[in-house]
Amino acid sequence: MLSRKLSPPPEQACLPWHPPGLVAGVDEAGRGPLAGPVVAAAVILDDLRPIAGLADSKKLTPARREALFDEIRAKALCCSIAEASVQEIDELNILQATMLAMRRAVMGLRLKPVLVLVDGNRIPVLDMQAEAIVKGDALVQAISAASILAKVHRDRWCERLHEQYPAYGFAGHKGYGTPAHLTALQAHGACPEHRRSFSPVSQLLAPSFV
């Protein structure tokens, strides 16, 4: 009886977890403040033009964020910054407004990614594959870059608002509910950019301002 030489089993193909192509990172800034829009950014980095020092924007100094903002804008393949307004926040709620701003940021990209990586545990409605990554702004460079763009853009917005309404101190607290901000609300009521749906604002407003 002739022995038959068995052929080796075929090797299993090593498929990547993600499809090949452009990957965008997405993050937001401004979910917690009592005033102003929520801002989202989307970034597709260029592997051939690395950017040193990308990190969660909250862990960077304002000066470092400003420098990285310019470098990201100069070196990324493309990037997009979008907002959802105070009116949209009050009408939709902050979560849905954040998803709206993120969707607008992704749709504003000049190049279409095959995959979108979003900081957090929720993703907006998109027409491409997306994945939520908890603490992604510290783990994924494209998300870190997006967090920097969104944070700097919103901080600059608050500084411009401060020029219009200096009594509230927006340049310092950036809209967050600090004691100084709450005191200003009690003294002056709400300006047009305060979020009426946020309880610290609605509770402090006199009936004539609601």
Side-chain angles (χ1 to χ4, degrees), residues 75-98:
K75 290 184 175 179
L77 285 177
C78 61
C79 53
S80 171
I81 302 173
E83 300 178 356
S85 68
V86 169
Q87 291 73 25
E88 289 170 326
I89 292 170
D90 287 341
E91 291 173 5
L92 300 173
N93 73 46
I94 186 59
L95 174 60
Q96 295 305 317
T98 300

Side-chain angles (χ1 to χ4, degrees), residues 6 8 12 19 31 66 74 89 107-108 127 133-134 146 156 173 175 178 180 189 197:
L6 298 177
Q12 183 175 358
R31 286 185 65 170
E66 288 282 348
I89 292 170
M107 300 307 292
D127 61 354
I133 301 179
V134 176
R156 290 176 178 178
H173 54 64
T178 64
S197 59

Side-chain angles (χ1 to χ4, degrees), residues 5 12 56 88 95 97 101 141 155 199 207:
K5 187 176 181 179
Q12 183 175 358
D56 175 2
E88 289 170 326
L95 174 60
Q141 285 204 324
D155 284 356
S199 59

Side-chain angles (χ1 to χ4, degrees), residues 4-78:
R4 298 173 60 188
K5 187 176 181 179
L6 298 177
S7 59
E11 293 185 4
Q12 183 175 358
C14 295
L15 298 176
W17 286 102
H18 298 140
L22 299 176
V23 177
V26 177
D27 201 1
E28 54 77 26
R31 286 185 65 170
L34 308 182
V38 61
V39 177
V43 180
I44 300 177
L45 294 175
D46 186 348
D47 293 338
L48 300 180
R49 305 183 73 190
I51 301 171
L54 290 175
D56 175 2
S57 64
K58 296 183 291 295
K59 297 181 179 180
L60 301 171
T61 65
R64 185 61 182 144
R65 286 196 298 264
E66 288 282 348
L68 284 169
F69 181 94
D70 293 336
E71 188 174 1
I72 294 164
R73 296 289 299 268
K75 290 184 175 179
L77 285 177
C78 61

Side-chain angles (χ1 to χ4, degrees), residues 80-143:
S80 171
I81 302 173
E83 300 178 356
S85 68
V86 169
Q87 291 73 25
E88 289 170 326
I89 292 170
D90 287 341
E91 291 173 5
L92 300 173
N93 73 46
I94 186 59
L95 174 60
Q96 295 305 317
T98 300
M99 295 297 104
L100 177 60
M102 286 182 169
R103 174 176 169 79
R104 286 171 173 166
V106 174
M107 300 307 292
L109 289 169
R110 177 177 56 85
L111 303 173
K112 184 174 182 178
V114 299
L115 175 66
V116 176
L117 303 178
V118 182
D119 182 56
N121 58 8
R122 295 176 181 269
I123 56 176
V125 176
L126 299 168
D127 61 354
M128 71 280 292
Q129 183 177 343
E131 179 181 340
I133 301 179
V134 176
K135 298 184 179 179
D137 50 5
L139 300 173
V140 179
Q141 285 204 324
I143 298 178

